[in-house]
Amino acid sequence: MTELAAPRSAAPQILGSEASVPGGVTLAARAVAAHKHYGSGDNEVRALDGVDVGFVDGQLTAIMGPSGSGKSTLMHNMAGLDTLTSGQVFVDGDDVTAMNEKQRTKLRRDKLGFVFQAFNLVPTLSARENITLPQRLAGKQPNMEWFDTVVRTVGLTHRLDHRPSELSGGQQQRVAVSRALASQPRIVFADEPTGNLDSTTGDEILTFMRQAVDDLGQTIVMVTHDPYAARYAHRVVFLADGKIVSEMRDPTADAVLDHMKTIGH
């Protein structure tokens, strides 16, 4: 497996929920007193229950927690794909919760990138066309110097003219990662980006994502259930029952797995 450039401390630092908004750093996005409730009365479900969290500029942050803890709900609300019941979300200093749907659509187009488990590529388009599609739909010309940097970083230079059906699962996810990075977004949200991949290919994708952060200055927030995937992050934020219960800096797979056992399944 490719070794990561970032050193790992011998003992990962586990912090309480009060540390979930780091001080003295630039935040690409943050949530303040975020609540998301479904239903009412006895049937009310609090998917998010007062979450305060910041995502540090130029870092890869993993969001983890038991099933139903609020991981995907937090990401979807951070990305303006859903709206909070109460509280605020800021991306690049802009209040997402104060935006109407048109403004949120513009935010997603101009400042956000997305990587999903299912790749979500257009089967009739080449890798090159899939990567540049969001920018072309927005009426923008891709920055080809940046495009070349991204595809070189993820190892796609010689596969750009192939359609998704001509690519392996790992190569398709590289296209999806490149598409997310190509517009130079303020932040990339990745939802279980290696969930459909075997472990070796998953390692490659996670390495590329970490390289995008370390070498290209990207900011990535990744939802994952996999402790091994989480070890690629600078920081892991743990949720349980809609609340942030702890976080870990410089994680290792074993430390993440051990900590997950303490917050339930």
Side-chain angles (χ1 to χ4, degrees), residues 66-161:
S67 178
S69 60
K71 304 184 296 296
S72 292
T73 301
L74 175 60
M75 191 186 75
H76 290 164
N77 280 274
M78 295 296 303
L81 295 168
D82 199 356
T83 56
L84 293 173
T85 303
S86 64
Q88 291 176 288
V89 167
F90 297 90
V91 173
D92 198 24
D94 296 328
D95 186 350
V96 179
T97 43
M99 295 178 180
N100 59 34
E101 182 54 38
K102 183 177 180 180
Q103 291 169 324
R104 289 196 297 271
T105 298
K106 186 176 187 300
L107 170 79
R108 292 192 294 268
R109 185 188 68 199
D110 295 344
K111 292 191 176 183
L112 305 182
F114 298 93
V115 183
F116 299 103
Q117 180 175 329
F119 312 152
N120 291 348
L121 302 180
V122 179
T124 57
L125 300 183
S126 68
R128 184 193 312 275
E129 291 166 334
N130 267 287
I131 293 168
T132 59
L133 180 62
Q135 293 172 83
R136 296 193 184 281
L137 288 175
K140 298 181 179 180
Q141 287 298 318
N143 179 332
M144 295 314 296
E145 182 178 355
W146 177 253
F147 174 92
D148 290 341
T149 297
V150 169
V151 297
R152 185 171 60 251
T153 299
V154 302
L156 278 175
T157 304
H158 301 296
R159 308 292 287 177
L160 290 175
D161 294 324

Side-chain angles (χ1 to χ4, degrees), residues 16 27 66 85 90 98 157 161 175 186 190 196 202 204 211 213 225 253:
L27 299 179
T85 303
F90 297 90
T157 304
D161 294 324
V175 174
R186 187 68 181 87
N196 281 338
E204 293 175 357
Q211 285 177 337
V213 172
H225 70 280

Side-chain angles (χ1 to χ4, degrees), residues 39-259:
S40 60
D42 293 341
N43 296 320
E44 184 180 67
V45 175
R46 297 191 173 192
L48 297 177
D49 193 12
V51 170
D52 291 287
V53 65
F55 297 109
V56 180
D57 192 33
Q59 287 193 6
L60 173 56
T61 303
I63 302 175
M64 300 193 74
S67 178
S69 60
K71 304 184 296 296
S72 292
T73 301
L74 175 60
M75 191 186 75
H76 290 164
N77 280 274
M78 295 296 303
L81 295 168
D82 199 356
T83 56
L84 293 173
T85 303
S86 64
Q88 291 176 288
V89 167
F90 297 90
V91 173
D92 198 24
D94 296 328
D95 186 350
V96 179
T97 43
M99 295 178 180
N100 59 34
E101 182 54 38
K102 183 177 180 180
Q103 291 169 324
R104 289 196 297 271
T105 298
K106 186 176 187 300
L107 170 79
R108 292 192 294 268
R109 185 188 68 199
D110 295 344
K111 292 191 176 183
L112 305 182
F114 298 93
V115 183
F116 299 103
Q117 180 175 329
F119 312 152
N120 291 348
L121 302 180
V122 179
T124 57
L125 300 183
S126 68
R128 184 193 312 275
E129 291 166 334
N130 267 287
I131 293 168
T132 59
L133 180 62
Q135 293 172 83
R136 296 193 184 281
L137 288 175
K140 298 181 179 180
Q141 287 298 318
N143 179 332
M144 295 314 296
E145 182 178 355
W146 177 253
F147 174 92
D148 290 341
T149 297
V150 169
V151 297
R152 185 171 60 251
T153 299
V154 302
L156 278 175
T157 304
H158 301 296
R159 308 292 287 177
L160 290 175
D161 294 324
H162 292 72
R163 293 184 179 182
S165 62
E166 300 171 310
L167 302 173
S168 68
Q171 289 168 339
Q172 290 183 61
Q173 193 61 303
R174 293 186 207 188
V175 174
V177 172
S178 299
R179 180 181 57 193
L181 299 174
S183 62
Q184 297 178 269
R186 187 68 181 87
I187 188 168
V188 170
F189 292 101
D191 194 357
E192 300 282 5
T194 59
N196 281 338
L197 304 175
D198 61 75
S199 59
T200 300
T201 306
D203 285 344
E204 293 175 357
I205 295 300
L206 291 163
T207 297
F208 298 146
M209 290 174 63
R210 180 63 187 251
Q211 285 177 337
V213 172
D214 293 341
D215 299 341
L216 305 180
Q218 187 60 62
T219 303
I220 299 177
V221 176
M222 172 179 67
V223 168
T224 183
H225 70 280
D226 183 359
Y228 195 80
R231 76 175 289 270
Y232 285 80
H234 294 87
R235 168 175 167 250
V236 184
V237 174
F238 296 94
L239 276 75
D241 299 321
K243 299 176 182 290
I244 291 180
V245 294
S246 56
E247 69 172 71
M248 184 183 295
R249 308 273 172 83
D250 300 321
T252 65
D254 287 343
V256 170
L257 179 60
D258 289 344
H259 191 60

